[in-house]
């Protein structure tokens, strides 16, 4: 992984801007993280496969999108919102957006077919985007996911999610606001 790739994936805007100032030529990951949509559009028009580029650790360019407009641009050029970026956990760009509390990006991904249920089941277990949002205490993302069809009873697969429900993950990480959102949610309603 390059320094600019790491900064882009973590959304370190100040570091990326400093790199550009010092002459680093932005790649598609930096363009996505800096919301350089015109530059990104130009790059993708010349090389359409860049809409599904994978950077360090196989991380999809969608995971770098700084805003809804950037995500929409990538998705309109056939970026796959369900592309497995970390197969050990069945992790996709939907999971990453949920884990980061990015409701705007979740909306874009869902509009283009992103699955709120995570999209796969391995032996009856699936780590849903909801698990990531619960682990990091993003109650707004939890509410959005529940209102858009996520199931709160899935049992997680892999790493910190193995064998745990969303409620287990929230409780273990001390996220009372997430527990409250789960308690307040009823199917067919929004919280």
């Amino acid at each position: 992984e390059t320094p600019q790739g790491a900064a882009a994936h973590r959304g370190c805007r100040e570091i990326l801007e400093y790199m550009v100032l010092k002459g680093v030529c932005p790649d598609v990951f930096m363009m996505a993280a800096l919301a350089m949509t015109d530059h990104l559009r130009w790059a993708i028009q010349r090389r359409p496969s860049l809409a599904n580029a994978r950077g360090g650790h196989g991380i999809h360019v969608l995971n770098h999108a700084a805003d809804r407009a950037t995500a929409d641009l990538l998705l309109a050029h056939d970026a796959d919102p369900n592309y497995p970026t970390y197969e050990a956990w069945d992790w996709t760009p939907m999971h990453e957006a949920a884990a980061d509390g990015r409701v705007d990006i979740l909306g874009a991904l869902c509009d283009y077919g992103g699955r709120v249920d995570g999209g796969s089941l391995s032996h009856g277990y699936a780590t849903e985007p909801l698990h990531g949002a619960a682990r990091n205490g993003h109650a707004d993302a939890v509410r959005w996911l529940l209102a858009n069809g996520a199931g709160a009873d899935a049992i997680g697969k892999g790493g910190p999610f193995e064998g745990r429900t969303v409620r287990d993950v929230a409780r273990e990480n001390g996220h009372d606001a997430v527990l409250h959102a789960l308690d307040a949610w009823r199917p067919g309603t929004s919280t």
Side-chain angles (χ1 to χ4, degrees), residues 63 81 83 85 89-101 106 109 115-120 126-133 136 161:
N63 292 32
Y83 190 89
T85 55
W89 298 356
D90 293 330
W91 206 257
T92 68
M94 288 289 291
H95 290 84
E96 186 82 9
D100 289 343
L106 286 169
L109 295 169
R115 296 193 48 183
V116 296
D117 66 357
S120 70
T127 300
E128 293 193 3
L130 198 54
H131 282 86
N136 294 332
F161 309 108

Side-chain angles (χ1 to χ4, degrees), residues 13-70:
R13 186 173 189 87
E14 298 82 15
I15 293 171
L16 293 169
E17 289 170 344
Y18 180 76
M19 289 178 171
V20 170
L21 181 69
K22 291 297 183 180
V24 173
C25 182
D27 61 12
V28 292
F29 305 102
M30 288 178 71
M31 290 177 202
L34 288 170
M36 299 172 70
T37 53
D38 289 337
H39 292 84
L40 189 57
R41 182 178 295 105
W42 181 87
I44 291 171
Q45 286 172 344
R46 275 141 194 81
R47 197 164 142 212
S49 64
L50 290 175
N52 278 300
R54 293 175 66 190
H57 310 290
I59 300 168
H60 197 286
V61 68
L62 275 170
N63 292 32
H64 298 77
D67 59 13
R68 170 91 193 221
T70 304

